[in-house]
Amino acid sequence: MSSLQPVRGTHDLLPEEMRRHRTVIERARDLAERYGYLEMATPIFEFTEVFQRTLGDTSDVVTKEMYTFSMKDGEEITLRPENTAGVARAFMTHGLQQSLPVKFFYAGPMFRHERPQKGRQRQFHQIGIELLGVADPLGDIEVIALGQHILEAVGVADRTTLELNTLGDPESRQSYRAALVSYFSDHRERLSADSRDRLERNPLRILDSKDEGDRELIAQAPVFEDYLNQASRDFFGAVCEGLEAIGISYKLNNRLVRGLDYYSHTAFEFTTDALGAQGTVMGGGRYDGLITTMGGPATPGVGWAAGIERLALLLADPPPAPRPIAVVPVGAEAEREALLLTQRLRREGFLVELGYSGNVKKRMRRANAVGARYALLLGEEELAQGVASLRDLDSGEQESVSLDALIDRLRRPA
């Protein structure tokens, strides 16, 4: 405690980094609204059952990474490790099945107890969208198109690749699951301990293993495509054709899977090689069985989430800090008038800095330190004439401007 450092896996967002985050969030929010996705927020903690049901009792998130707490009344709550489960819970809580389709955008912090790395913290931030109530491939196309549009708006689309796969319908998934069990059972002794456990519980998750021995086996494992029925092939074909029609390129990745049974059909990720091991900047897919898993009515769904930290790291340059106008009173008599002028300008929409104390030299140093565009000097002589001296801090030029005309002058382009 004496070192007064942030908890491991958390960090402070000081203004420059916060501007990067705000750029991602604000551009995403504006575009999401253009597509009809309205912003909502869920609590940062939920009853633990919400995540156990949706993420699966055997997932690494549930078994190793969740921050779970017991309350005095015996209830268990968990800081949200992701937000789709919370959105689905809110959908059920508020009876929104009567208002389908529903389209949500969210932004906020998530929490996972894992080894901190570049672009991955224990408290991290995500933007995301969820589309509930649309079973047609057009829903998949729209959410991917919005994701691509946001990456373009943030300026990172040219450094990402859309990877695409299909998980098929439940019938296809069962066929593929059986094929995986048969294949990996023949090589059981070569599997890692974690993958042997997954073989019994959730064999698709073996395909996510990072163990080198597992990776060698995975390379020869059956591929999902060989077990798709015609309905699944038609659905995926429609998604691919739609993306091509609107000019979105993609790369097929038949090893891109989702381990839980409520996922179906489209799975996708936008990846980059610019962040080292943390290559996924946006990932999502269709989860038609999620609401049913949580005890609600059968409701199709599709969506994605994106890491704000990772997108912020990809921004070429942080947005520049806004440049204020510095109001500089000259002499004690001008202090009150400077305060009045400062508030007037702020109410007119200008960003204004008023030095709290000091002589003119000290206040001008402060104006330069905060990157002010102009300094407004107000002394006895100016007050007597009803003017202010406006100094351009880039060029050094200075002019006298009537206080009555000051607003119009400041609104003119520099």
Side-chain angles (χ1 to χ4, degrees):
M1 188 67 178
S2 59
S3 62
L4 293 178
Q5 297 297 310
V7 175
R8 184 168 186 255
T10 68
H11 68 289
D12 303 306
L13 294 173
L14 297 180
E16 182 174 310
E17 190 173 359
M18 194 68 229
R19 285 198 302 276
R20 288 178 175 269
H21 277 232
R22 282 182 55 191
T23 297
V24 172
I25 294 168
E26 290 171 2
R27 291 179 184 175
R29 179 186 293 121
D30 289 346
L31 280 173
E33 193 168 79
R34 191 182 303 178
Y35 282 68
Y37 291 78
L38 302 183
E39 188 167 13
M40 62 94 73
T42 62
I44 64 169
F45 54 85
E46 301 270 358
F47 288 119
T48 301
E49 181 187 15
V50 170
F51 303 114
Q52 287 177 331
R53 283 194 183 191
T54 57
L55 297 174
D57 289 332
T58 63
S59 72
D60 285 348
V61 175
V62 170
T63 59
K64 302 175 183 178
E65 298 174 4
M66 293 202 316
Y67 286 94
T68 297
F69 307 91
S70 294
M71 305 297 287
K72 290 181 179 180
D73 59 6
E75 295 281 7
E76 275 199 351
I77 63 169
T78 294
L79 298 179
R80 62 188 184 195
E82 56 86 39
N83 209 34
T84 299
V87 172
R89 193 271 309 146
F91 171 83
M92 294 166 59
T93 298
H94 299 284
L96 298 180
Q97 58 267 31
Q98 307 303 320
S99 307
L100 296 176
V102 295
K103 305 168 78 170
F104 291 129
F105 166 82
Y106 62 80
M110 314 294 161
F111 305 85
R112 293 190 185 187
H113 191 280
E114 54 186 349
R115 184 168 65 87
Q117 301 173 52
K118 181 181 180 181
R120 173 185 285 182
Q121 297 291 321
R122 290 176 174 175
Q123 176 179 316
F124 58 101
H125 301 78
Q126 287 186 335
I127 53 172
I129 63 166
E130 312 293 350
L131 170 60
L132 295 167
V134 176
D136 191 88
L138 189 59
D140 306 55
I141 297 165
E142 181 179 271
V143 300
I144 293 172
L146 174 52
Q148 170 80 11
H149 203 161
I150 289 171
L151 294 177
E152 290 172 1
V154 174
V156 302
D158 60 347
R159 282 177 284 169
T160 62
T161 300
L162 171 60
E163 299 186 13
L164 198 63
N165 194 24
T166 176
L167 307 180
D169 60 13
E171 177 185 282
S172 300
R173 193 181 182 89
Q174 282 301 110
S175 298
Y176 184 55
R177 187 183 190 279
L180 283 183
V181 170
S182 176
Y183 170 77
F184 285 120
S185 293
D186 289 343
H187 303 280
R188 184 184 181 89
E189 297 308 312
R190 294 175 57 193
L191 289 172
S192 66
D194 280 346
S195 288
R196 284 197 297 270
D197 181 59
R198 290 166 179 165
L199 180 60
E200 306 297 332
R201 298 167 178 262
N202 197 339
L204 266 73
R205 292 199 58 242
I206 296 175
L207 301 179
D208 293 327
S209 174
K210 302 299 186 290
D211 179 88
E212 287 301 321
D214 289 347
R215 299 305 301 171
E216 291 178 10
L217 291 174
I218 291 166
Q220 303 301 319
V223 294
F224 218 137
E225 183 180 4
D226 294 338
Y227 297 87
L228 294 173
N229 58 25
Q230 193 58 47
S232 298
R233 293 178 187 276
D234 291 345
F235 190 102
F236 191 53
V239 172
C240 294
E241 289 171 12
L243 294 175
E244 291 163 10
I246 58 177
I248 296 179
S249 60
Y250 58 86
K251 180 177 76 173
L252 295 178
N253 178 358
N254 61 18
R255 295 303 186 195
L256 178 59
V257 298
R258 301 285 185 260
L260 298 170
D261 287 341
Y262 57 75
Y263 286 105
S264 61
H265 294 299
T266 314
F268 64 91
E269 291 181 352
F270 286 90
T271 61
T272 182
D273 58 8
L275 294 176
Q278 303 307 312
T280 301
V281 296
M282 179 183 290
R286 178 164 284 278
Y287 48 83
D288 288 352
L290 175 61
I291 302 296
T292 305
T293 298
M294 298 181 72
T299 308
V302 59
W304 53 253
I308 296 173
E309 279 84 358
R310 296 181 190 181
L311 290 175
L313 284 170
L314 288 172
L315 287 175
D317 294 296
R323 302 188 66 187
I325 299 163
V327 175
V328 181
V330 182
E333 293 296 319
E335 292 278 358
R336 180 178 180 278
E337 293 304 319
L339 175 61
L340 295 176
L341 178 60
T342 296
Q343 287 303 100
R344 176 187 165 203
L345 292 175
R346 286 170 174 164
R347 290 185 180 277
E348 289 290 339
F350 296 99
L351 175 60
V352 185
E353 277 276 336
L354 174 64
Y356 301 110
S357 61
N359 57 26
V360 173
K361 185 176 181 181
K362 180 178 179 181
R363 294 190 197 226
M364 289 301 295
R365 280 203 303 267
R366 169 66 180 169
N368 286 315
V370 299
R373 180 67 181 84
Y374 296 104
L376 276 172
L377 291 91
L378 205 61
E380 291 183 19
E381 185 176 334
E382 282 86 1
L383 290 175
Q385 298 176 19
V387 300
S389 294
L390 179 65
R391 183 177 300 177
D392 186 319
L393 295 180
D394 288 346
S395 68
E397 296 178 358
Q398 185 166 309
E399 62 184 292
S400 182
V401 181
S402 163
L403 292 176
D404 292 335
L406 184 59
I407 301 296
D408 289 340
R409 170 63 186 84
L410 290 172
R411 286 194 172 130
R412 281 189 353 229

